[in-house]
Amino acid sequence: MNRTALVRLFAVLLTAGLLLALAPFFSSLSPSEQAIAALPRIKVPSLAPEQFKIVENPVSNNQSPSKLMLLRQKNGKLFVWSIPVRDGVFAMPDIHWWRPGMTCPSFAPDFANEVIACTGSYLPAWWREHLRWHLDGTNISGRVDDMPRIQGQERLGEFIFSMRRG
């Protein structure tokens, strides 16, 4: 074997050895079964496309109480949002969701108009215009935050919260 072939063989063997040595490191970056089992989860009610349900939020607390809005899109995809509540009624964002403003007793999707909105004649005109979101949770006017979506996955009749935020 000539010198060039030996150098190439050595480089290939060194690369293969490094990849094999790093494999346990990369596999250790994924969450353990115990960590996955400890993630918050909720039972998903039977929802056909273009149906929604409000359920209790398992991570809600006294400092920032909230409920979850589950909405099944036309394509079957499930969206889950955390909506603040105050005195048992939805608290709409004062531009940002982390700063709730007025309460809204009638906050729900309107599938015919493809909008999620706080409806009611008691709302000032500016709020009626801007407290509206597309069915994917993005604010229509862009003046108010998008709805706070919970990341996770639907599996075997449950929605399992993701370990990652965002």
Side-chain angles (χ1 to χ4, degrees):
M1 227 181 222
N2 64 26
R3 182 175 162 85
T4 305
L6 284 174
V7 169
R8 285 185 182 155
L9 178 62
F10 178 73
V12 167
L13 291 174
L14 182 65
T15 302
L18 282 172
L19 289 175
L20 285 173
L22 290 175
F25 170 74
F26 286 113
S27 68
S28 73
L29 294 177
S30 62
S32 69
E33 289 298 321
Q34 184 179 8
I36 292 171
L39 289 173
R41 59 189 68 223
I42 56 168
K43 294 257 186 243
V44 176
S46 179
L47 293 174
E50 296 191 325
Q51 286 187 332
F52 82 103
K53 182 88 174 176
I54 304 298
V55 299
E56 295 299 319
N57 186 347
V59 297
S60 178
N61 59 49
N62 289 338
Q63 284 185 306
S64 56
S66 63
K67 294 201 180 228
L68 298 177
M69 178 185 283
L70 286 68
L71 184 142
R72 180 83 59 197
Q73 299 287 329
K74 277 184 188 179
N75 63 6
K77 187 173 183 178
L78 180 70
F79 279 42
V80 179
W81 296 286
S82 174
I83 311 297
V85 293
R86 187 170 49 231
D87 300 323
V89 182
F90 289 111
M92 294 291 92
D94 182 18
I95 299 183
H96 303 291
W97 282 97
W98 52 264
R99 187 175 61 202
M102 67 181 68
T103 57
C104 176
S106 56
F107 183 63
D110 174 352
F111 292 103
N113 293 313
E114 298 186 349
V115 65
I116 302 170
C118 181
T119 57
S121 57
Y122 63 91
L123 287 173
W126 192 92
W127 290 110
R128 271 196 312 272
E129 179 183 348
H130 297 293
L131 293 181
R132 298 168 16 124
W133 293 265
H134 295 286
L135 292 178
D136 66 359
T138 57
N139 185 256
I140 292 173
S141 70
R143 295 281 192 106
V144 176
D145 287 347
D146 293 341
M147 292 175 62
R149 186 164 174 206
I150 303 293
Q151 297 299 316
Q153 63 180 7
E154 187 177 7
R155 187 188 316 169
L156 301 173
E158 291 186 316
F159 180 80
I160 303 168
F161 288 47
S162 175
M163 292 183 99
R164 293 177 283 153
R165 298 282 175 201

